[in-house]
Amino acid sequence: MSDISDSLTKADELHFTRPIPKSAGAQMRFLLKQLKTTKAVAATLGISQRTVERYVKNEIKQPKPALAARLEAEVRRRWQPLVRKRAREQAARTTGLVIETRARFGFTAAPGTTDDGRMRRITQHLPPEYAQRLFAAQETGATEAQLRHITAEALQEIYFKDNGARATSLLVEFTDIDYVDFAF
């Protein structure tokens, strides 16, 4: 499961200026416009080229649930790339991210302190440099573990260490994620 990657993608969708197409025919026509050929759309969705043509002409209106899910996911992934890019650039340059999470945080700290992890609910603003690192990692295909490491490092520095004001030797682990949401 890719909690952090999915949350970043969901945060992108908050910036859409128009809703995605609702009907299967409109979604197929959008994919056809993006991918240029019915053959490419068929290969992407795992259906026949003739089925794509029938959806485009509105001869078929209701896809099966599995196809409907794949179709919507492909449309969402390609919808308004410039709006998505502009929002990410602004977050990476000036505004940063807000993370809201409920997860287990484990600690490695100085002797005599506890390292037992516990569930915490945290809402924290992360500066633009962490937004930039998360976006760059996601775009290069980073694994969920790598994204978790970047997020844990950001929370470690900003939330737990208070920008270096306390707990300088503290190391934070980000595990057992109940949920994570980003906004930018």
Side-chain angles (χ1 to χ4, degrees), residues 16-58:
F16 288 165
T17 57
R18 293 179 295 150
I20 67 167
K22 298 287 183 217
S23 72
Q27 289 176 342
M28 282 291 182
R29 286 187 288 279
F30 172 76
L31 283 179
L32 183 60
K33 187 177 177 184
Q34 296 293 308
L35 299 174
K36 308 294 186 218
T37 66
T38 55
K39 187 176 184 178
V41 174
T44 300
L45 296 173
I47 57 177
S48 73
Q49 194 171 347
R50 177 67 184 130
T51 304
V52 172
E53 292 166 359
R54 291 175 67 202
Y55 276 109
V56 168
K57 292 179 183 176
N58 277 333

Side-chain angles (χ1 to χ4, degrees), residues 5 12 63 153 160:
S5 184
D12 282 343
E153 184 181 328
F160 291 102

Side-chain angles (χ1 to χ4, degrees), residues 92-110:
R93 272 188 276 115
T94 56
T95 60
L97 293 170
V98 174
I99 182 174
E100 181 178 340
T101 187
R102 183 167 180 256
R104 184 169 308 280
F105 291 90
F107 305 97
T108 304

Side-chain angles (χ1 to χ4, degrees), residues 107-116 169-170:
F107 305 97
T108 304
T113 61
T114 182
D115 61 352
D116 292 338
S169 63
L170 183 72

